[in-house]
Amino acid sequence: MLPRIFLLLIFVCSLAFGKTIGGYTLHSGQPSTGPVGNGITDLVSGRNCLWIGSGEGLSRLRLDTHQFESFQHVENMPRGSISALFAKGDTVWVAAAADSFIRAVGETLPYGTGLAVSTDNGATWTQFKQPGVTPVQNLCYDLTIVDGVVWGACFGGGLIRSDDWGKTWKNTAPDTFVFDPAAYLNHRVFSVLNADGVLWVGTAGGVNKSTDNGRTWTNFNARNQQNPISGDFVVALAQQKTEDRNIIWAATWRAEGQKEYYGLSKTEDGGASWKVCLKDIKVQNIAADGAVVYAATHEGLYKSPDFGETWYRLSDPVDAVTGERVYAQEYYSCYAHDGQVWAGSADGLAYTADNGYTWKIFRAFRPTGVAGEPRTYAYPNPFSPKRHNQLYGEGYVRMQYRVQKDTYVTVKIYDFALDLVATVCEHKFRPGPGDYAEVWDGRNEYRDEAANGVYFYSVTVEGEGTFWGKILLVN
């Protein structure tokens, strides 16, 4: 069971890369219109900003200016997808990862590309190579700091710690056994949390707790308690603390036990007993905001207004201004503060301040019609309706364009003989100037699946002209 779960995690990184728009590069420190990538892997609050990890690198939203900034190519930043983020005050730690074909095993595997730290809120960075004997399948999934000790959660590398701020690292284990991830599932680590000085570590063998910064440990798994966690594979941890409640949350997935199941587990007595919510749902991340807790899951973004007693699913994000949708059901990250909620998916970043009644969506895209770029392009391309931008069983391809002023837009799809296949939109008002995208689901006017092949599309912007593009459809 476990290898399939690992493949899913690898898929997250691969999917993030799949969202790459070739050639779209933002300069370091330069303002940008959104995150640098559309696969949002992590969201962490920093000093006057929200740090955003993505499949394309690191960016942040400045809360004072509401401006996005790119850290994609800053000096001493490890390349690749951001696999872990930690921020507190001016200190920011990141870990990054990439994919590579490994000839020895004949397949593509993920590998850690290193870590970096900034102590001046992102102005300068210090980089460290990936700790461990090999970076292959040795990604760092989470980071935290307890009493000056930096802790990292790695699959192949296990639980790593640095007592000298990243100069040297030690492999350790959250138990009394000699570190051996091949022999002990509890040595394959995926999440770490500092909750008021108590170190919590989530592994493929349950939840581990240390009150003395890693010298002694207590393990809680799906079998060793009367009211246990739902599953031993712990992919995320979070603390929800108010004046009268202190809850540790754990996203607990089914590992190898026959009675294990997916769910969201919580404890209010230091791990002695657990209560499970969102049964049979794969939870990826957790965010607390007072009495409210949010869960980013493979079935959307869930909210509980009462410490997890009741739950409901927020509406699918649709941008209130542009009509843009998030074409994904799986959410990998979330952050909430004072009723403002951010949710990261494989298809962009969504924001709401009114409980999901209205949304604003932020996506990375290459502007059209400027600096020699074409007036329109489609992505992903080639496009597979059964694989790309999946929402409720349908896949979607975007056709990006720009209008210079208030106007009306018509977008149509044609086959290779220029016979009409589908009308995507007709005489649709678009305020300008602005960048927009229309989507096609790979079906014809009769709602049948279009055959594999090359299709042309036209974007007619009244007052500006008709612009053509091409889509290669592969079912």
Side-chain angles (χ1 to χ4, degrees), residues 366-425:
R366 183 174 59 200
T368 60
V370 295
E373 298 293 341
R375 287 298 303 264
T376 182
Y377 62 86
Y379 65 102
N381 200 1
F383 162 55
S384 172
K386 300 186 184 305
R387 191 167 72 91
H388 294 132
N389 294 336
Q390 287 283 303
L391 184 64
Y392 301 118
E394 299 286 347
Y396 297 88
V397 58
R398 283 184 171 86
M399 290 155 284
Q400 189 79 30
Y401 63 94
R402 179 175 177 80
V403 300
Q404 302 300 328
K405 58 183 180 181
D406 290 3
T407 186
Y408 293 89
V409 175
T410 297
V411 177
K412 295 184 177 182
I413 308 292
Y414 300 89
D415 63 17
F416 204 71
L418 290 183
D419 292 327
L420 180 66
V421 174
T423 300
V424 173
C425 67

Side-chain angles (χ1 to χ4, degrees), residues 156-462:
L159 181 63
I160 59 173
R161 63 175 291 166
S162 175
D163 299 293
D164 53 12
W165 213 241
K167 294 178 183 177
T168 60
W169 296 85
K170 299 176 183 176
N171 296 99
T172 183
D175 52 35
T176 58
F177 300 105
V178 176
F179 173 67
D180 186 350
Y184 303 108
L185 293 179
N186 201 37
H187 294 184
R188 302 176 185 180
V189 186
F190 297 94
S191 49
V192 290
L193 170 70
N194 177 358
D196 299 327
V198 176
L199 177 61
W200 296 80
V201 176
T203 73
V207 178
N208 301 272
K209 173 186 174 183
S210 175
T211 59
D212 52 15
N213 211 6
R215 286 189 288 275
T216 60
W217 295 93
T218 302
N219 175 261
F220 311 106
N221 60 47
R223 296 165 303 283
N224 67 1
Q225 293 175 283
Q226 186 173 0
N227 297 302
I229 58 178
S230 69
D232 283 350
F233 188 6
V234 183
V235 301
L237 292 162
Q239 182 184 26
Q240 183 181 25
K241 188 175 182 181
T242 62
E243 289 185 358
D244 55 354
R245 305 283 288 269
N246 188 9
I247 302 174
I248 300 298
W249 291 93
T252 43
W253 290 23
R254 187 173 63 198
E256 295 187 337
Q258 293 297 317
K259 295 184 179 180
E260 296 181 32
Y261 56 96
Y262 297 94
L264 181 59
S265 303
K266 71 170 185 177
T267 179
E268 295 193 62
D269 55 12
S273 63
W274 297 79
K275 181 177 180 179
V276 179
C277 317
L278 299 180
K279 292 182 179 180
D280 298 324
I281 293 178
K282 294 180 179 178
V283 178
Q284 281 283 168
N285 209 334
I286 312 135
D289 183 17
V292 180
V293 62
Y294 297 87
T297 81
H298 285 206
E299 299 179 19
L301 183 65
Y302 280 81
K303 174 181 178 179
S304 171
D306 50 10
F307 299 98
E309 294 300 314
T310 59
W311 292 85
Y312 64 91
R313 183 178 177 277
L314 268 64
S315 63
D316 292 328
V318 179
D319 193 292
V321 175
T322 66
E324 178 94 29
R325 298 179 67 99
V326 171
Y327 289 99
Q329 289 177 256
E330 299 180 358
Y331 288 79
Y332 303 119
S333 52
C334 55
Y335 169 74
H337 181 68
D338 286 345
Q340 301 186 71
V341 183
W342 297 84
S345 74
D347 191 40
L349 180 65
Y351 165 79
T352 181
D354 57 6
N355 206 30
Y357 288 103
T358 59
W359 292 91
K360 175 67 178 174
I361 295 172
F362 301 92
R363 304 188 74 261
F365 64 91
R366 183 174 59 200
T368 60
V370 295
E373 298 293 341
R375 287 298 303 264
T376 182
Y377 62 86
Y379 65 102
N381 200 1
F383 162 55
S384 172
K386 300 186 184 305
R387 191 167 72 91
H388 294 132
N389 294 336
Q390 287 283 303
L391 184 64
Y392 301 118
E394 299 286 347
Y396 297 88
V397 58
R398 283 184 171 86
M399 290 155 284
Q400 189 79 30
Y401 63 94
R402 179 175 177 80
V403 300
Q404 302 300 328
K405 58 183 180 181
D406 290 3
T407 186
Y408 293 89
V409 175
T410 297
V411 177
K412 295 184 177 182
I413 308 292
Y414 300 89
D415 63 17
F416 204 71
L418 290 183
D419 292 327
L420 180 66
V421 174
T423 300
V424 173
C425 67
E426 192 161 24
H427 204 60
K428 184 176 186 178
F429 176 72
R430 287 301 197 185
D435 297 287
Y436 299 95
E438 311 299 339
V439 296
W440 179 45
D441 60 4
R443 294 181 179 273
N444 62 23
E445 297 281 64
Y446 304 100
R447 303 301 301 149
D448 297 324
E449 293 181 357
N452 291 348
V454 175
Y455 292 84
F456 299 100
Y457 70 92
S458 63
V459 179
T460 300
V461 181
E462 290 187 12

